Amino acid sequence: MGNAKRVMFLGGTLFQIPPIKYAKEQGHYVITCDYLPENPGHKLADEYHNVSTTNMEAVLELARSLKIDGIVAYASDPAAPTQAYVANKLGLVSNPYESVLILTRKDLFRKFLYEHGFNTPKSQSFYQLDKAIDWVDSLEFPLIVKPVDSSGSKGVTKIESKNELEKAFIYALSFSREKKVAIESFFIRGGYQVAGDGFVVNGRLVFRCWANEHFDKLSNPFVPVGESFPSTMKEKTLSQAHSETQRLLDLLKINQGALNFDFHYDVDGNFSFLELGPRNGGNLIPEVINYATNVDLVKYTVDSALGLDCSSLKQKDTVGYYSSYILHALADGIVENIWFNDDIKNNIVEQNISVKVGDNVKKFEGSHHTLGTFILKFSSEVEMLYKMDNMELFIRVEVKN
């Protein structure tokens, strides 16, 4: 193809396959890199390099030697700063490295939100436990303890007393590359936590599609197991979310590319950011959005990174009721059966199960314990919310010790 480009993808996990496939379909030359050569995305690439996606200088050297035309960090917070750093150095399409770093580090993000008057909970970050212990004396429990730089909700704990801080701090530290832990007030929200993706073109939030975030009450309450579209949030919060996102984009000079949202609102409907990732969401969020709106964010992500025209992207509302669901285990053990209730089978649009009977599995504590994925379609909002909030009645991984 005459418009074929050389595009580098940072990572080759299951969730990163869609943009790799799209790039190949467009005739582009695909290069992948990370430190896990067995990741499935690498098998689709024209070439793979065993280079960590967080080693910015090594990725820059590789990208320069391969004369790439674009670089993509799809569904990966850890790789997003590397993408911006390399693109900035090589004059490729991206956003300012400093801004991307703020969005991917919880300590820097909370500080930025506070300094610019956004509604945000009290938060501080610490390298050392003793300083954290002193600070929490000024707060009311419960508190949230989490790594400043992990993704997939790994390392997050809610604590009810000071006696629980040390264990939670050490746990969070084990997931932090920076070896730094954020502690913040627990936000009492009204309604569902909100997830979803958006896209920026020439500095404007031209598209966003928001969802209800679902958690497994029998597993880790801070790791999402699915997102359902459309969101049930009210018009007041919808407007706040859009205007506050645009204000943040303006302040950080975010000009182009995908966004992944995580936010919530209080009982009065006041909006507050949890995170705003400068990348596409995991958990099949872009794929579900495509079903619900016919907007292909995978296409726009790759095209944008290569400097292609994205002006055709416009806001579209969802049509119908769709969700993603992450298959997971409620306990460590050996898989005995993957059980389906007959009442869920007609809802399944796509499924990809990566475990089988006899496999050893871990209790679901983060996205790294994903055992498979589903895209589901429902006949009504009532059906969607009931099944997503009670999925243990419809799909289960049965294990034995």
Side-chain angles (χ1 to χ4, degrees):
M1 293 176 63
N3 62 347
K5 306 280 189 180
R6 296 172 66 84
V7 55
M8 175 181 284
F9 290 90
L10 300 180
T13 68
L14 179 67
F15 288 126
Q16 293 164 321
I17 286 177
I20 294 172
K21 280 187 173 179
Y22 171 77
K24 289 292 293 181
E25 289 165 1
Q26 298 304 301
H28 300 314
Y29 187 87
V30 170
I31 302 153
T32 58
C33 72
D34 63 21
Y35 70 97
L36 297 169
E38 297 306 311
N39 271 339
H42 305 316
K43 296 177 177 62
L44 305 176
D46 293 291
E47 58 181 280
Y48 160 72
H49 294 266
N50 193 329
V51 176
S52 170
T53 60
T54 59
N55 188 335
M56 291 189 289
E57 293 300 336
V59 175
L60 174 60
E61 181 180 352
L62 178 64
R64 184 176 279 134
S65 69
L66 295 174
K67 296 181 170 57
I68 66 169
D69 299 297
I71 181 169
V72 177
Y74 185 90
S76 174
D77 262 344
T82 301
Q83 186 275 342
Y85 179 79
V86 171
N88 288 181
K89 290 287 187 181
L90 298 183
L92 304 174
V93 175
S94 187
N95 293 301
Y97 166 73
E98 293 78 9
S99 298
V100 171
L101 189 63
I102 287 170
L103 291 175
T104 55
R105 282 270 301 267
K106 295 174 180 65
D107 53 340
L108 303 179
F109 187 49
R110 284 283 179 262
K111 182 173 184 288
F112 188 89
L113 293 176
Y114 177 78
E115 289 175 347
H116 291 88
F118 291 89
N119 179 27
T120 187
K122 290 182 180 178
S123 177
Q124 287 288 342
S125 298
F126 304 91
Y127 290 103
Q128 297 173 318
L129 175 62
D130 56 347
K131 294 185 178 179
I133 290 173
D134 292 339
W135 186 71
V136 300
D137 285 333
S138 65
L139 301 177
E140 293 183 6
F141 288 88
L143 302 174
I144 296 295
V145 182
K146 54 190 176 183
V148 301
D149 54 355
S150 72
S151 60
S153 302
K154 294 186 284 289
V156 181
T157 307
K158 178 184 176 184
I159 62 172
E160 302 287 349
S161 71
K162 193 172 180 178
N163 292 335
E164 300 173 49
L165 177 59
E166 182 175 359
K167 181 179 178 181
F169 191 95
I170 292 170
Y171 178 61
L173 209 61
S174 70
F175 287 95
S176 175
R177 296 179 306 281
E178 180 66 18
K179 296 303 175 187
K180 192 176 187 183
V181 173
I183 302 172
E184 57 188 48
S185 300
F186 183 72
F187 189 98
I188 300 174
R189 67 175 183 260
Y192 288 96
Q193 185 169 305
V194 182
D197 276 12
F199 210 89
V200 183
V201 177
N202 295 326
R204 309 309 298 172
L205 180 61
V206 298
F207 177 84
R208 75 288 192 284
C209 189
W210 289 321
N212 314 292
E213 193 115 71
H214 297 271
F215 302 86
D216 189 334
K217 54 186 175 292
L218 302 176
S219 183
N220 188 322
F222 302 107
V223 185
V225 295
E227 289 79 22
S228 64
F229 296 81
S231 168
T232 60
M233 67 179 170
K234 307 300 183 188
E235 181 59 37
K236 172 187 174 182
T237 307
L238 188 90
S239 299
Q240 277 189 348
H242 191 104
S243 62
E244 286 292 81
T245 299
Q246 188 60 60
R247 182 163 79 93
L248 182 60
L249 298 175
D250 292 341
L251 288 166
L252 289 171
K253 297 181 171 54
I254 300 296
N255 189 60
Q256 195 83 3
L259 299 174
N260 175 240
F261 293 93
D262 270 301
F263 61 85
H264 44 198
Y265 45 98
D266 63 21
V267 292
D268 296 318
N270 296 308
F271 165 88
S272 179
F273 282 111
L274 268 169
E275 297 180 4
L276 184 66
R279 44 83 179 176
N280 307 83
N283 284 14
L284 302 181
I285 288 176
E287 291 90 327
V288 180
I289 287 174
N290 198 5
Y291 274 103
T293 66
N294 203 31
V295 171
D296 188 353
L297 293 178
V298 171
K299 161 190 158 54
Y300 285 107
T301 297
V302 176
D303 288 358
S304 174
L306 292 170
L308 303 177
D309 182 20
C310 294
S311 61
S312 63
L313 179 55
K314 308 293 182 187
Q315 181 62 33
K316 276 186 159 184
D317 293 331
T318 58
V319 177
Y321 302 94
Y322 291 87
S323 77
S324 63
Y325 180 69
I326 301 305
L327 187 68
H328 60 282
L330 297 178
D332 295 352
I334 298 171
V335 176
E336 278 194 309
N337 184 37
I338 299 174
W339 174 83
F340 293 86
N341 185 315
D342 287 342
D343 288 341
I344 200 69
K345 290 180 179 177
N346 288 336
N347 298 114
I348 298 172
V349 177
E350 290 186 19
Q351 71 177 52
N352 187 334
I353 298 175
S354 55
V355 293
K356 62 184 183 300
V357 172
D359 285 351
N360 280 294
V361 296
K362 294 289 187 181
K363 179 182 176 181
F364 190 61
E365 296 289 354
S367 58
H368 55 307
H369 293 147
T370 295
L371 304 180
T373 59
F374 294 85
I375 294 177
L376 307 167
K377 182 180 182 180
F378 305 93
S379 60
S380 68
E381 181 182 275
V382 171
E383 181 195 16
M384 176 178 75
L385 296 179
Y386 175 75
K387 287 184 175 178
M388 288 300 297
D389 286 337
N390 300 279
M391 194 58 79
E392 71 278 3
L393 302 178
F394 301 98
I395 301 174
R396 284 201 302 272
V397 178
E398 298 174 342
V399 303
K400 62 180 178 181
N401 294 328

